[in-house]
Amino acid sequence: MMRIRSGLAKAVSALATALAVVLVVSGCSAGGPATVALPALPTAKLPSSTVKDLTSAVTDAMAASGSSGAIVGVWAPWSGSWVDGLGTTSPGGKTPVSTDMTFRASTITRPMTCDVLMSLAAQGTVQLDDSVTRYVGGMPKLKDVTLEDLCDGTSGIGSYGAQLRASWLSNPDREWNPEELVSYGLGKMKDDVTPGLAWSDSDAGYVLLGIALERATGKTLSSLVSQYVTSPLGLHATALPGDIPGAPVVGASTALGGYYTPKDAKGALDCKKPTDITDLSASIGSADSGVVSDIDDVGTYVRALASGALVHDKKRFVNGLPVYKGAPSWFTAGGGAIMAGPLVGQYGEIPGYLTAAFSDPVSGLTVAVVLNNSTTGATTALYLAWELAAIASKAAPAKGEKTPASGMPWTPETYHQAIAARAICK
């Protein structure tokens, strides 16, 4: 199906070409992509007035979501940066949040899984138009679904998250079989779906893609993510952990506590008794949302994603499709990512955490944030990231720099109000 090439895609293609000059080693090896070096981040701090507005946005979102803590990173190359931990690691606790704490990165995992797919396709190990049934048997219904469809979110397979969330909260130690998770998504798949025509949010689709990549290579998805994503980018605080339940840590890192707000006997949210769900099996997310990371690594990753510095596929974000019927023309999805105005990134939720990260491939503006209560849902993180981007896009330039001419197709106030409307504990 032919789709319209967007202005954003043109910008991504142009910048990806320019970024080729900063590759530390050119080409690819049999062991995976060469080490990639992104342009240096600003060392100066953002203006105090900008930091004040950013801080206010995050603290208000914490209050609305019932979060005790947040970690945020904002990088504006023409002006400066702000990376901070706000609040405490637990409700009513005394341990302050620090910026090196790790957390569940949720659906930021999706584009990483697609990075692996595209890298393997570039090496000839798989083809993007391979049917998934070539690698995963017993699914004749999916004979027309390609690996690329799974990455793009156009397979028509449904999602399992809404069906299983209650089970995850009540039994966080359970280790889930990925085939079982996929089966729940297949149960939501309509019989008359034509793959490739429309985007839909399918966690099961990404889990299935992960299974296919493991079978195509004989390697675990964790090792593939390390080989093709985290190692080339030097993401030392990022990994896809195994299924054994535990806190979201990488090596000797300290985890940001994760919580949700339960309901009382009458079905109302009990805001005074948030439940700790820091320890959880990453098997609930797998190739869709299983990755653990810290804020600096997430910021680095989303910059590489948006700019095309890691995967040199000029068409990756060309075929963006509406996120929902009637969505603004600037809000599309494809290639495992979400495109919003000039930004490329991803957002999502997993029990205990709301995350979002976006980057502008032209200006380099990058925002990343995590909130440690998942009750209000992923949209809260999305709106907060958009609010932060709108604020930072107007940051005063440092000496000798210029503020980019283009901004966001929304105002900070729009999404500040939208977050307030989602508040669970008013």
Side-chain angles (χ1 to χ4, degrees):
M1 176 181 177
M2 184 66 68
R3 301 178 206 162
I4 298 173
R5 181 181 178 85
S6 68
L8 171 62
K10 294 179 181 178
V12 170
S13 298
L15 191 63
T17 301
L19 282 171
V21 301
V22 301
L23 292 180
V24 175
V25 182
S26 61
C28 293
S29 68
T35 301
V36 174
L38 293 166
L41 289 168
T43 56
K45 295 186 180 297
L46 284 167
S48 59
S49 59
T50 301
V51 171
K52 180 180 179 181
D53 291 342
L54 294 170
T55 303
S56 177
V58 177
T59 53
D60 285 353
M62 289 168 60
S65 63
S67 298
S68 70
I71 310 175
V72 60
V74 179
W75 299 269
W78 68 91
S79 182
S81 63
W82 176 60
V83 181
D84 203 359
L86 289 77
T88 59
T89 58
S90 61
K94 296 181 179 180
T95 303
V97 174
S98 61
T99 58
D100 60 352
M101 288 178 169
T102 48
F103 51 86
R104 302 190 193 282
S106 185
T107 48
I108 294 170
T109 308
R110 290 181 177 183
M112 293 185 181
T113 300
C114 290
D115 291 338
V116 173
L117 167 64
M118 294 177 182
S119 296
L120 291 173
Q123 292 180 359
T125 304
V126 300
Q127 300 296 319
L128 296 179
D129 60 358
D130 282 345
S131 169
V132 66
T133 58
R134 178 174 179 178
Y135 306 101
V136 186
M139 298 182 179
K141 188 176 182 179
L142 303 183
K143 64 181 179 65
D144 294 327
V145 173
T146 68
L147 300 182
E148 187 173 30
D149 288 330
L150 295 174
C151 169
D152 281 338
T154 59
S155 67
I157 298 173
S159 286
Y160 58 79
Q163 304 172 71
L164 300 180
R165 185 170 290 105
S167 296
W168 297 340
L169 299 180
S170 62
N171 187 13
D173 290 341
R174 175 177 172 179
E175 297 176 26
W176 293 80
N177 184 298
E179 285 87 351
E180 181 182 1
L181 295 178
V182 171
S183 71
Y184 282 98
L186 291 176
K188 293 289 185 177
M189 187 177 185
K190 298 179 180 178
D191 293 331
D192 58 349
V193 170
T194 301
L197 296 183
W199 182 87
S200 61
D201 189 11
S202 174
D203 46 23
Y206 289 98
V207 173
L208 180 57
L209 177 57
I211 296 171
L213 297 178
E214 288 186 331
R215 295 186 180 178
T217 61
K219 298 180 179 180
T220 65
L221 186 63
S222 178
S223 66
L224 291 171
V225 169
S226 174
Q227 179 178 351
Y228 291 103
V229 182
T230 64
S231 292
L233 289 174
L235 306 181
H236 303 300
T238 303
L240 180 60
D243 295 345
I244 297 174
V249 296
V250 178
S253 73
T254 299
L256 172 68
Y259 296 82
Y260 72 94
T261 303
K263 293 183 178 180
D264 60 22
K266 296 181 179 180
L269 290 173
D270 190 348
C271 295
K272 296 181 180 180
K273 296 181 179 179
T275 300
D276 188 342
I277 197 164
T278 308
D279 288 359
L280 183 72
S281 172
S283 64
I284 69 169
S286 183
D288 173 74
S289 52
V291 160
V292 170
S293 190
D294 71 6
I295 207 69
D296 283 325
D297 274 11
V298 168
T300 297
Y301 173 69
V302 78
R303 290 170 63 222
L305 172 69
S307 66
L310 182 63
V311 174
H312 307 297
D313 185 342
K314 296 180 180 180
K315 297 181 180 179
R316 182 168 184 176
F317 305 124
V318 173
N319 298 335
L321 293 171
V323 173
Y324 57 87
K325 186 176 181 179
S329 60
W330 49 260
F331 190 25
T332 60
I338 296 293
M339 288 75 81
L343 305 176
V344 177
Q346 190 54 269
Y347 72 101
E349 67 173 297
I350 195 166
Y353 306 90
L354 304 177
T355 57
F358 288 87
S359 184
D360 179 348
V362 176
S363 72
L365 173 64
T366 301
V367 299
V369 66
V370 57
L371 300 168
N372 76 336
N373 187 312
S374 57
T375 308
T376 56
T379 303
T380 298
L382 174 67
Y383 288 172
L384 178 56
W386 287 357
E387 182 182 0
L388 296 175
I391 293 170
S393 69
K394 303 302 181 183
K399 185 176 180 180
E401 299 287 344
K402 292 183 179 180
T403 302
S406 61
M408 304 298 136
W410 59 79
T411 66
E413 294 76 19
T414 298
Y415 290 104
H416 191 88
Q417 294 170 5
I419 292 171
R422 298 176 63 81
I424 58 171
C425 299
K426 300 179 180 179

